[in-house]
Structure formats: C-alpha cells, structure tokens
Amino acid sequence: MSNELKILLLDDEHIVGKRLKPALEKIGCSVEVFQDPLEAIKRIEEKEFDIVVTDIYMEGMDGMQVLEKVHAKCPKTKIIMITGYAMISLARDAMEKGAFDFIAKPFKPDDLRKIIAKAAEALGSPIDFSASGN
Amino acid sequence: MQGKPGHFSKPSLNRPGFVLFTSHPDGETTINGWIEMETENQQREEKGTDVKNPKTDKESSDFTMKNLYGHMEDIQKAQQTLMARYHFSVRRQIYIGNVVVFLFAALIAVILILNNEQVQTRLEFLEFVNDFSSEIQQARRYEKNYFLYGTNLDDAIENIHLANLIFTKESETFSELQDQVTRQEILKKINAYEALLGELLQNQKADVPLPMNTPHASKEIETRLRGYGQDILASAQSMMTVEKRALERALKRSRDIHIYSIIVLLVILALNSYLLVGRIYSTLNRFASYAQRIASGDFRPILPKRKFRDEFTDLAVAINEMIKEIDTREAVLIQTHKMRAVGTLTAGVAHELNNPLNNIMLTVHMLMEDYHDMPDDERMEMLEDVIKETDRSRKIIRNLLDFARESSSAMESVDLEELLKGTVHLLENQIRLSGISIEIQFTDDLPRIHGDAQKLQQVFVNLLLNAIDASSKGQKIQVMGCLGEKGDSVKVNVVDYGHGIPKHILSSVFDPFFTTKPKGRGTGLGLSVSQGIVAKHGGTIKAKSDKGSGSCFTVILPVITFPEFESFHL
Ligand SMILES: Nc1ncnc2c1ncn2[C@@H]1O[C@H](COP(=O)(O)OP(=O)(O)OP(=O)(O)O)[C@@H](O)[C@H]1O
Ligand SMILES: [Mg+2]
C-alpha cells in the first residue's frame, strides 16, 4: 500500500506504544514506536513521516522541541501532541506553534484514531476509519 | 552521675518509640530515674532555696514530651497541680518580714523601758542614801558641838530622828535594793545612836553637869556615839558605792541593748530583703529564660516544683495558658501550610496519575476490541498490565495521602536518608514537570535521629518546593546528608542552582509572611513553619545564598534532642 500513512509515535510510557501500534495498524497505518525522544529525532532526520504523535512531557527532551525539529525537517508533517489533562495551556501553546491537534491523557484508542483520520483528510489521503473493526 | 550521655544515647537510637516519651514511668525506670536526677541537680544549682518534692518530680517525668505538638492534657494537668499547692505569696513574705521586725522592735522597747525604770529607782535610791548620810553627818556635827560646847543637842536629836525617819520610810520602798541584814544593823545602830542622844538629853534635863565638865562619865558615851556614827556613815558610804556600781552597770546594759538591737535589726532587715530579692530575682530570671525558650518554639508547660504557690504561680498559669494558645495556633498553621503544599503537589500527582490511567484505558479498550482474536497468553499479559498500572496509580496517590494525613505527631527514630528519599519521591512529579533533576547523596552509616517523621518531611518538602520554584528548566537540585561537625548531629543540605537570594533579604527569609512570590503563589510561611519544626527538634536551619548562583539551606538535627529534657519548673 503506497498511500499507507506513516506514523511515528513517541511516548516514554512503553505501554502506550505497545497498545497503540496494533490499534493504528488496524486502520491501515504503518507505525514506528519510540520511547526515547533522541532516537525518535534521529529517525525523523532519516525518514519522512506523515504524522508524528508525541507526548509533551518526557525526560531529556520535551514535545515542544520535537515539534520544532519536525517542523524544521518537514513542515508538511502533522503533529499531534499528547498531554496530561493538567497541561491544557501548554497544549494551546503547541497549537499556536503549529501542532495539528492535541489529545489529553487518558484517552481511548478511538479518540486518537479520529484525530489521525482528521489529519489524514487534511493531508489529502483520507483513511477508512471503519476498518477498525467496530 | 552514672548516666553519661554517651551511654544513654547509643542503645536508644535504634529503638522506635523511644522510652523517654512513653507515658508510663514504671515501664523504664532507669532512664526516667536518670532524668529525675538530672533535673534535680540542675535545679539545685539554679536555686538553693527550692524545696524538693519527690512526688511532683515523679509527675514531671510523666510530663516529658511525648509529642511535639498538642500538649493540651499536660498543660491541663500542670495547671491543676500548680494551683493545688499551699499558698505562700510574696506579699505574705513581706508581711511576715515586717511583723518580725515590728515584734523585735517592740521587745527591745519593753526591755529598754524596764531597764530605764531600774536606772530611775537606783538614782532615787542614791538620792535617798545621800539624804540619809547628810542627815547623819549633820547629826554628828551637832553631837561634836555638844561635846565641845554643850550646845546643839536638840538639833542633833532632831537630825538623827529625821535620818531615822528617812531610813525607815524610804528603805521600805527600796527594800529590794538592800539586803535585809545590813538594813537591820543600820537601823539598830541609828536607834542606839538616837537612844544615846536621848540619854544625854535626859541627863541635861536632870541638871547633870555638861559633858566638858564631867569628863569621865561623858567620855564613855562620846566614844560609843562616835563608834555608832562612824559605822552608820560607813554603811551609808558602802551602800552608795554598791549602788553607784549597779547604776553604772544598768547604764552600760542600756547602751549595749541599743547597739545590739540595732545590729540585730539590721541583720533581720538584710536577711528579709535578701530572701525577698532572691526569691523575686531568681524567679524573674527563670521566667526570662522560659520566655526565650518559648520563643524558640519549646511549648512545654511550666510544671510545679516548689511546695508552695505564689504570685509567680499565677504568672506561670497565665504563661501555660498562653503556651496552649500558641501551641494550638502553631499546630494549625503547620497543618494549613501543609495543605497548601499538598495543593501544589496535587497538580503534579494529577498529571502523573494520567499516565497509568491512560495505560489502563488503552489496554482495556484494546483488550475489548481484539478479545476474540487474541491468544490467551496475550490476554493474560494485558490484564497483568492493568494490574500493574493500577498498582502504580495507588502508589502515586498513597504517597500524597500519607503526607496530607493529619498526623498524630509521634516521636520516633528516623532515618533521614530514607525520609529524604521518600520526600523526593513525593515531589518527583513536580520535579519532572519543572524539567529539573535531583540528586541525593548521603554518607554511609549516618546515625538515626529522634523526631517526628511527618513534620520533618514537611520541612524538606518546603525546602525542596522552594528550590524547585527558584530553579529553571534543566537545572539540578542536590540533597546531601552527612554527620555534623561534632558527630552529635546530622546535617542535610538542600542545594539549588537557581536565582538565589539577594543579600539584603537573606536575613528575612525565615520571617513569617515574608515572600517574594506573587500573591496566591506564596504565603511566606514555608520557611517560618520549617524553622519552628526544626527548633522543636532542638536543631537549626540556616540559609546561604549568592544572587544568581543558587542557594543552600542547611538543616542540622541533633542525634538526641538533649536540651528538650530540661523541663520548665516553678
Ligand atoms: N531556594 C531558594 N532560592 C531562592 N529564594 C528562596 C529559596 N528559598 C526561599 N527563598 C525566598 O524566601 C522566601 C520565603 O520562602 P518561604 O518558603 O518562607 O515562603 P514562600 O515559598 O514564598 O511561600 P510558601 O512556602 O507558602 O509557598 C521566598 O519567597 C523566596 O523569595
Ligand atoms: Mg516556600
């Protein structure tokens, strides 16, 4: 599938990647999961992703820095921020800086799928959301 | 004293619920006994006049503080025992002193009056003896004339009669001054003298020739008369000398009484004022030191020590009442500030809690979605993840709840390293949110200290929150623990590399309500409350800072809170 969405998922909680990878693959995306932001950045330098989903808070580097890096590398890439509920104001900042959307923890897999579907639409390659099996 | 601090401190260090603070004195007689001796000795040095009361002393060891805060029952008990004692006021002491002086003065006055009376009688007696002897002398002169010239016999008789009258009359009045034998003798001689003169008169009336004409017969009478006359005069003379001596003695006595009574009076007055001043002065001094200790945060009540109560007891009762009030307020203040810190920490906890919740949410949803297409072991794995994440949530909350819980504030043996690790753990989310890193370094084998773990944790939470506030992203905070200089304390440094504290406000950071933070962010009570708590542990807290290069707050806690063992007494 050439129009398969390439997604990079960055969150320092390993369970997030472990669960979301199959969940997103089910709607026809190819997902690469990272826990370490530095490794993720390295990968971003190498490969162009359609969508980057990143947590705002991480050890070492935060989501805002990732956002800047991605924008610098590939302005087309849609960036979705994962935030804690308490950090809505930070998420707004991120939006101003050009993030596509944000999603607050805790969320359901479907919440993220919806946002990704929206992003796919914005990218001009809509995905069939119903493929999720619901 | 066999209970050396060294012997005493070591074994008790590792014992939780340290015996001194149990309310059952019978349980641990040795250590309680040791304290009693300690306070007793110190008490004796302080005030010699204090009377020991073994009973109240035993009670006082009951009072040794069990907790840092909330001595309500102790205070109530102390108040009652303070007031139940015999009342011996300063006013009464002044009254008694005055009465003693007055009674002594009155006694002296009576003695002096009696002595004066004696002097008076002796003077009168001397006068009488004088009169008497002059009459006798007169009589003898006339008698001589009669023998020479045959004249004046009547006058001689009259004089001797007068002398006789004076003697009989006056000697009645002075009977106690003369001895009766001499008196009788003198009387006899006067009578004999008078009788002889009477005989001469008889002879004259019977025209017996005048004495100078009848030398023989009259010679004999003359010799006898002279004999009597001389005897009487000699007696009078000796009476006079005896009396004079007695008079001198009486006068000397009077003078001595004056001098000695003044000396004794001065001594009584000096003693009275010495006792009074000693009592007032030493008690005032003691109150001054109590006030200082109360100011430094030692809120234990003043306990009964003396056998009596007085005006100072009323003051002590009032101070106890005040202590009660301050103690309650401080406890409330500490709790209030703690709740603020809890509020700050809650934001971090709420954020941190989102992670496990999110993990659970994702896992459970995926489990539901794919339940039927999943091998059993994968389902098991997912369920295990749910359990793990639930457990993680519980831990995150429990830490905060433990801290927030209104503690019973019990004294226990505390490992500061453990305490600080727990504290850092509690603040972890906060630290992570601020993008700050934290390091803990403790030297090995630090002795445990004795304290209230909950309250001490609050101190370090305050210090760390301040450090977090002062630091910016990417900076680090260091917590370092080591033994104090003398080895009898543990030192904990909380170091940050934040904006620091300008010199001119460094001295006021411990003041209550001093804050540089915007309204609603800081109350300015954190350091003040912390200082209060540390002081209660017999420790100190110090700040060092250079503007721009960070700050270092040092908490020094004694391994054994020794000064706490001395109680207030009155
Ligand atoms: N580590 C530090 N670095 C720089 N300044 C500090 C530090 N610790 C304390 N201060 C200064 O001391 C002041 C008083 O601190 P304190 O903890 O008593 O109150 P606060 O932190 O302002 O209020 P609260 O503790 O109630 O939040 C602070 O406002 C701050 O200016
Ligand atoms: Mg503070």
Side-chain angles (χ1 to χ4, degrees):
Chain A
M1 268 204 249
S2 58
N3 67 338
E4 191 176 56
L5 273 177
K6 294 182 286 294
I7 296 179
L8 182 140
L9 176 64
L10 171 59
D11 194 316
D12 56 1
E13 295 279 325
H14 82 282
I15 291 185
V16 173
K18 200 161 86 181
R19 301 288 170 246
L20 284 180
K21 190 173 155 68
L24 295 180
E25 278 168 353
K26 267 166 89 182
I27 57 166
C29 307
S30 82
V31 183
E32 283 184 41
V33 172
F34 290 90
Q35 261 174 268
D36 183 351
L38 296 176
E39 275 172 36
I41 293 289
K42 225 161 64 188
R43 186 72 183 129
I44 287 167
E45 302 283 331
E46 293 164 10
K47 186 182 165 186
E48 200 169 294
F49 288 94
D50 297 313
I51 296 170
V52 171
V53 181
T54 175
D55 195 2
I56 281 198
Y57 275 101
M58 284 169 301
E59 306 264 346
M61 179 184 275
D62 67 22
M64 295 299 241
Q65 281 165 288
V66 174
L67 176 92
E68 278 158 24
K69 284 257 156 59
V70 173
H71 261 304
K73 172 81 194 355
C74 175
K76 216 172 72 190
T77 306
K78 299 283 175 230
I79 298 162
I80 298 164
M81 310 293 284
I82 304 174
T83 70
Y85 188 73
M87 292 301 153
I88 295 292
S89 63
L90 242 173
R92 297 242 156 78
D93 290 352
M95 296 289 284
E96 271 161 32
K97 282 197 174 165
F100 176 75
D101 205 349
F102 66 88
I103 184 164
K105 280 184 182 179
F107 57 87
K108 294 178 211 145
D110 271 354
D111 297 337
L112 184 63
R113 282 176 184 146
K114 275 180 203 151
I115 292 177
I116 285 187
K118 244 183 4 186
E121 223 164 292
L123 281 169
S125 53
I127 49 168
D128 183 9
F129 186 33
S130 60
S132 71
N134 291 353
Chain B
M1 177 149 294
Q2 77 281 55
K4 298 178 293 283
H7 137 86
F8 166 50
S9 60
K10 264 290 171 274
S12 45
L13 276 181
N14 301 319
R15 227 186 311 172
F18 185 32
V19 285
L20 262 177
F21 298 85
T22 54
S23 47
H24 312 291
D26 340 17
E28 300 284 348
T29 40
T30 39
I31 292 180
N32 270 335
W34 183 77
I35 284 181
E36 260 170 55
M37 284 165 80
E38 178 70 26
T39 37
E40 181 179 325
N41 261 19
Q42 170 226 341
Q43 208 54 42
R44 285 218 178 112
E45 277 161 29
E46 252 184 65
K47 197 177 180 186
T49 51
D50 246 359
V51 204
K52 280 290 299 172
N53 185 347
K55 191 168 160 285
T56 48
D57 223 20
K58 190 150 172 54
E59 276 165 20
S60 76
S61 61
D62 272 14
F63 283 129
T64 18
M65 58 173 213
K66 291 160 245 163
N67 306 319
L68 288 180
Y69 298 92
H71 304 289
M72 297 310 138
E73 274 173 39
D74 289 1
I75 294 177
Q76 222 67 48
K77 219 161 119 192
Q79 299 290 66
Q80 278 165 14
T81 21
L82 274 174
M83 291 313 288
R85 295 174 298 175
Y86 167 70
H87 192 239
F88 178 58
S89 59
V90 174
R91 188 202 294 203
R92 188 173 293 184
Q93 188 175 344
I94 293 173
Y95 284 166
I96 289 178
N98 284 347
V99 166
V100 168
V101 168
F102 174 79
L103 285 180
F104 182 76
L107 181 72
I108 295 298
V110 168
I111 291 174
L112 282 177
I113 287 169
L114 289 178
N115 199 51
N116 267 7
E117 214 114 276
Q118 227 172 16
V119 170
Q120 189 82 24
T121 15
R122 286 200 194 277
L123 276 174
E124 276 167 17
F125 182 67
L126 267 182
E127 210 172 295
F128 139 69
V129 176
N130 206 29
D131 284 355
F132 172 66
S133 58
S134 68
E135 289 299 337
I136 297 284
Q137 267 165 351
Q138 197 61 33
R140 292 210 57 210
R141 231 172 272 137
Y142 286 135
E143 165 230 299
K144 210 178 257 167
N145 280 355
Y146 174 72
F147 281 112
L148 283 177
Y149 317 111
T151 55
N152 294 87
L153 183 60
D154 291 347
D155 293 332
I157 288 178
E158 197 185 313
N159 275 353
I160 198 68
H161 189 67
L162 247 158
N164 197 353
L165 270 182
I166 290 172
F167 193 82
T168 37
K169 187 174 141 242
E170 294 294 321
S171 68
E172 280 304 311
T173 10
F174 300 110
S175 59
E176 83 268 21
L177 287 180
Q178 306 161 295
D179 89 88
Q180 291 306 309
V181 186
T182 20
R183 185 176 160 230
Q184 289 305 324
E185 224 145 78
I186 293 171
L187 207 56
K188 227 163 39 197
K189 280 174 187 157
I190 296 172
N191 282 334
Y193 192 91
E194 204 178 350
L196 276 177
L197 285 182
E199 204 177 308
L200 282 178
L201 192 67
Q202 236 30 229
N203 288 353
Q204 198 186 33
K205 287 223 177 105
D207 264 346
V208 178
L210 284 168
M212 52 279 193
N213 303 330
T214 52
H216 199 73
S218 63
K219 207 61 190 177
E220 192 217 278
I221 293 178
E222 192 185 339
T223 341
R224 276 171 64 199
L225 266 178
R226 277 217 182 114
Y228 286 136
Q230 266 161 10
D231 279 0
I232 292 167
L233 265 182
S235 300
Q237 218 66 51
S238 85
M239 228 149 57
M240 209 124 86
T241 15
V242 168
E243 259 335 284
K244 255 187 197 146
R245 230 168 262 146
L247 186 65
E248 267 161 25
R249 271 205 307 278
L251 281 174
K252 187 173 178 308
R253 188 162 59 230
S254 162
R255 199 188 57 206
D256 286 354
I257 290 172
H258 273 107
I259 290 172
Y260 288 128
S261 63
I262 283 173
I263 289 174
V264 170
L265 205 59
L266 283 179
V267 167
I268 291 179
L269 283 174
L271 193 72
N272 186 34
S273 15
Y274 174 77
L275 288 180
L276 209 60
V277 168
R279 182 174 171 186
I280 294 172
Y281 187 75
S282 73
T283 323
L284 280 181
N285 262 355
R286 218 187 273 196
F287 271 103
S289 76
Y290 293 165
Q292 234 157 32
R293 276 156 69 169
I294 292 166
S296 75
D298 189 348
F299 293 153
R300 282 166 307 144
I302 299 173
L303 303 175
K305 179 87 189 176
R306 304 184 302 200
K307 269 186 175 159
F308 54 88
R309 69 189 159 92
D310 57 16
E311 287 87 344
F312 289 115
T313 311
D314 298 340
L315 183 56
V317 166
I319 287 181
N320 279 351
E321 212 50 51
M322 179 189 80
I323 287 175
K324 201 160 88 182
E325 208 51 35
I326 299 179
D327 198 26
T328 330
R329 269 157 211 253
E330 176 153 307
V332 168
L333 193 66
I334 289 175
Q335 187 59 23
T336 314
H337 193 267
K338 185 158 136 183
M339 291 327 287
R340 251 188 68 79
V342 168
T344 312
L345 295 178
T346 307
V349 164
H351 182 264
E352 182 58 25
L353 208 52
N354 279 325
N355 282 324
L357 278 182
N358 189 49
N359 290 341
I360 294 168
M361 182 93 108
L362 293 176
T363 306
V364 171
H365 271 276
M366 289 319 289
L367 182 63
M368 271 168 64
E369 259 182 50
D370 300 336
Y371 191 79
H372 297 291
D373 325 322
M374 222 180 247
D376 272 353
D377 55 343
E378 206 170 314
R379 283 202 289 251
M380 269 323 267
E381 192 201 315
M382 287 177 104
L383 286 174
E384 268 161 23
D385 276 351
V386 170
I387 291 174
K388 259 190 255 158
E389 293 301 305
T390 320
D391 205 42
R392 185 175 153 202
S393 323
R394 199 184 58 183
K395 276 189 190 134
I396 292 168
I397 303 171
R398 201 177 46 201
N399 254 332
L400 183 68
L401 286 184
D402 274 352
F403 177 64
R405 195 182 66 221
E406 193 153 356
S407 63
S408 53
S409 95
M411 297 295 280
E412 60 198 348
S413 168
V414 180
D415 180 347
L416 277 180
E417 184 173 1
E418 234 165 70
L419 183 99
L420 270 147
K421 278 186 178 151
T423 312
V424 167
H425 191 58
L426 179 67
L427 289 163
E428 217 170 69
N429 313 310
Q430 221 63 32
I431 292 166
R432 193 134 35 101
L433 283 177
S434 322
I436 296 165
S437 62
I438 188 157
E439 274 173 27
I440 305 188
Q441 300 162 353
F442 266 73
T443 53
D444 290 337
D445 299 328
L446 275 188
R448 298 168 79 89
I449 63 136
H450 192 75
D452 181 336
Q454 287 259 352
K455 294 283 186 297
L456 287 176
Q457 183 167 45
Q458 195 178 345
V459 170
F460 293 113
V461 165
N462 288 342
L463 293 183
L464 285 169
L465 281 179
N466 281 348
I468 292 170
D469 281 345
S471 306
S472 39
K473 199 176 253 176
Q475 287 181 326
K476 72 172 174 193
I477 296 171
Q478 284 174 306
V479 180
M480 293 175 290
C482 61
L483 207 61
E485 266 89 56
K486 281 192 208 132
D488 56 357
S489 57
V490 176
K491 197 160 83 174
V492 179
N493 288 315
V494 177
V495 184
D496 69 69
Y497 298 92
H499 57 61
I501 308 168
K503 264 216 166 58
H504 65 281
I505 62 168
L506 188 59
S507 56
S508 18
V509 291
F510 290 103
D511 295 347
F513 303 110
F514 176 84
T515 181
T516 55
K517 294 170 190 173
K519 218 170 171 188
R521 288 265 292 119
T523 58
L525 287 174
L527 288 176
S528 150
V529 161
S530 302
Q531 193 176 40
I533 294 171
V534 172
K536 279 225 168 160
H537 285 79
T540 51
I541 180 167
K542 281 181 290 196
K544 262 198 314 229
S545 181
D546 279 317
K547 189 170 163 51
S549 58
S551 329
C552 170
F553 283 81
T554 309
V555 177
I556 299 176
L557 290 163
V559 172
I560 278 282
T561 49
F562 238 89
E564 298 285 16
F565 296 154
E566 303 167 7
S567 301
F568 296 155
H569 283 292
L570 187 74

